[in-house]
Amino acid sequence: MVGFLLILHELEPKPVIDTLDIKQTQVNHSRLAETDFTNLPFGKYFTDHMFVADYEDGEWKNFEVLPYGPILMSPAISALHYGQAIFEGMKAYRLKDGSISVFRAEKNFARFNRSAERMAMVTVPEDLFMQGIAALVNLDKDWVPSAENYSLYIRPTLFATDPLLGVKASSTYKFVVLTTPTGPYFNKPLRVKIETHYTRGADGGVGAAKTAGNYAMSMMPTAAAQAEGYDQLIWTDAKNHEFVEESGSANLMFVIDGKIVTPEIRETILDGVTRDTILQLAKSLGYPVEERRVSITEVLEGIQNGKLTEAFAVGTAATITQIAEIGYQGEMYTLTDPTDRPFSTSIAKKLNDIRYGLVPDEFGWNWIVA
Ligand code: COI
C-alpha cells in the first residue's frame, strides 16, 4: 500500500511553479510576411514559435519558447503506440483596442487536466499552462488576425514520451503549445448524418476526454458519410443509438418549441467550452435552456412538425455552424433556412462582440495577454 501511494505521489507534479523561467529563442526570419491571411485552411500554417516543457524525474522542467519545428523523439514513445495523448483547442482574439485576449483559458485548462487524469497522464500545473500560452501568444502576437471570425487557434497538447513498449502509464511527458492563425472551420451550413452503427463514446469509456483516439476512431465512419455526400456525423448513444450525443468536432444545440435544448453532459460527451459559453449567454438573455437527453425521434419529428426551428454545432474551431440537413437511415430531413435563425444568429453576434472587445466583457472571459 505504501509503495502504491509513493508511485502515485511521484506522478503528481510539484503544485506551483511561481514564475516560470522561460527560455526564449527567437526565429532569425519570421514567416509572417509570407503567410496569406485571406487563405487560412484550419491548422495548416503555424506561427513562428512554439512552447515546450518536459515532465521528467517527477518534475516539470525545460520551459522554452523556441522556433516552431520538428521535435526529435524515439519511435518507441508510448503516445505513438498506446495513445496517451490529449489536447485542447482555444482561441486568441485581437480586440477592438488592439490588445490580444485568450478566451476562457481557465475552462480549457480544467478540461485539459480532466482529460490527463482519465488517460492516466501527469497533470499540468495551472501556471505552466497559462504562462506558457501567454509567453507564446505574446511573442507571436502579430500573427493574431483581425478580420471578423478570424482568430489565433491555440493547441496545447500533452503526450507520453517513455520509450518503452510495456503497456503502462508513462513516467515522462512533453507539453507543447502550437498556434495557428485561422478563419471559420466550416464555410457553409452542414449536411449531417445520424450515425447508428459506429459509436464515439460508451458509458465508462473516454468520450469526455479530449484524447487523440477519439478523433482517430471517428475518421473512418466520417469518411464513409462524406462519401455519401455528408459533411459530418451526429454520434448517438452506444446502447441503443436512440439519443443524440455530439457531432464530430463540436457539441450540438437545437431550438425546440422556443427553448434552447442540448444533450446533457455525460461521460460519453465532451464538456464543450463554447457550449457552456452559449448556454450562459442564453440564460443571461432570458432564453429558456434545457440540458437533457435529446432523442433522434424528437429531432426528426420536430423538423417535420415545425417545432424544431434551429439546429447548430458549437465548438472552439466550429464556433457556431448551422445545420441545414440531417440524414437518417437513408432519408433526408431539411431544416429551416439557415439564414433565418434568430436565436443562433443573435447569440453568435453577442459572442463575437465579447470576443472582439466590442462590448464590455461582463463575464470576465477575456484574458488579456498582450
Ligand atoms: C476544437 O474545437 O478546438 C477542436 O478540438 C476540434 C478540432 C478537432 C478541430
Side-chain angles (χ1 to χ4, degrees), residues 255-271:
V255 178
I256 303 175
D257 259 340
K259 295 181 205 122
I260 319 310
V261 179
T262 189
E264 69 196 356
I265 295 303
R266 336 162 41 82
E267 61 180 333
T268 54
I269 295 182
L270 203 71
D271 182 1

Side-chain angles (χ1 to χ4, degrees), residues 42 87 89 153 155 185 210 215 249 315-317:
F42 179 80
F87 68 93
Y153 184 81
R155 172 54 65 87
Y185 188 69
K210 208 158 172 66
Y215 297 81
S249 49
T316 300

Side-chain angles (χ1 to χ4, degrees), residues 204-269:
V206 296
K210 208 158 172 66
T211 186
N214 279 339
Y215 297 81
M217 77 84 214
S218 73
M219 289 179 190
M220 187 269 270
T222 304
Q226 285 168 348
E228 292 176 53
Y230 293 98
D231 300 302
Q232 278 290 326
L233 293 177
I234 290 182
W235 296 104
T236 53
D237 69 283
K239 253 187 208 149
N240 300 317
H241 297 292
E242 194 183 336
F243 296 101
V244 168
E245 300 237 299
E246 62 171 83
S247 176
S249 49
N251 295 108
L252 291 166
M253 283 192 189
F254 306 93
V255 178
I256 303 175
D257 259 340
K259 295 181 205 122
I260 319 310
V261 179
T262 189
E264 69 196 356
I265 295 303
R266 336 162 41 82
E267 61 180 333
T268 54
I269 295 182

Side-chain angles (χ1 to χ4, degrees), residues 325-345:
E325 289 171 288
I326 298 181
Y328 180 63
Q329 293 182 339
E331 220 169 301
M332 196 65 82
Y333 295 76
T334 302
L335 282 78
T336 54
D337 177 0
T339 62
D340 185 18
R341 304 230 176 130
F343 170 74
S344 40
T345 308

Side-chain angles (χ1 to χ4, degrees), residues 17-236:
I17 304 162
D18 284 321
T19 296
L20 241 51
D21 186 10
I22 301 178
K23 185 175 162 198
Q24 256 197 29
T25 313
Q26 297 196 21
V27 288
N28 293 325
H29 169 76
S30 170
R31 285 175 281 102
L32 182 59
E34 294 137 37
T35 308
D36 177 2
F37 272 58
T38 63
N39 176 26
L40 293 172
F42 179 80
K44 185 161 176 189
Y45 301 114
F46 294 94
T47 65
D48 287 327
H49 301 93
M50 60 187 182
F51 174 79
V52 297
D54 296 310
Y55 183 78
E56 289 165 4
D57 307 320
E59 63 180 348
W60 283 101
K61 52 177 84 160
N62 309 331
F63 313 126
E64 190 171 2
V65 173
L66 72 168
Y68 166 80
I71 297 177
L72 193 63
M73 300 254 88
S74 158
I77 61 167
S78 39
L80 289 179
H81 298 267
Y82 306 124
Q84 267 192 305
I86 59 158
F87 68 93
E88 266 307 320
M90 313 158 65
K91 280 179 172 170
Y93 296 87
R94 186 175 295 280
L95 272 53
K96 188 180 151 209
D97 67 3
S99 56
I100 306 295
S101 125
V102 177
F103 193 70
R104 301 206 70 185
E106 64 303 319
K107 186 104 178 124
N108 289 93
F109 164 71
R111 189 174 65 183
F112 192 71
N113 275 346
R114 287 202 301 276
S115 299
E117 277 164 8
R118 178 61 185 85
M119 304 310 288
M121 300 166 78
V122 72
T123 53
V124 173
E126 183 165 4
D127 40 10
L128 169 54
F129 188 89
M130 298 296 181
Q131 289 181 44
I133 287 173
L136 177 61
V137 174
N138 203 304
L139 183 61
D140 282 343
K141 59 176 174 289
D142 292 344
W143 286 82
V144 181
S146 48
E148 197 184 340
N149 294 323
Y150 282 67
S151 57
L152 186 72
Y153 184 81
I154 305 169
R155 172 54 65 87
T157 177
L158 177 72
F159 56 93
T161 53
D162 273 5
L164 176 76
L165 296 188
V167 182
K168 73 188 228 346
S170 183
S171 62
T172 60
Y173 294 87
K174 198 172 265 295
F175 175 55
V176 179
V177 185
L178 305 177
T179 41
T180 163
T182 186
Y185 188 69
F186 297 112
N187 54 15
K188 61 172 179 55
L190 305 177
R191 173 186 277 188
V192 295
K193 176 185 171 183
I194 297 181
E195 176 59 57
T196 51
H197 175 69
Y198 297 106
T199 291
R200 180 185 174 278
D203 290 346
V206 296
K210 208 158 172 66
T211 186
N214 279 339
Y215 297 81
M217 77 84 214
S218 73
M219 289 179 190
M220 187 269 270
T222 304
Q226 285 168 348
E228 292 176 53
Y230 293 98
D231 300 302
Q232 278 290 326
L233 293 177
I234 290 182
W235 296 104
T236 53

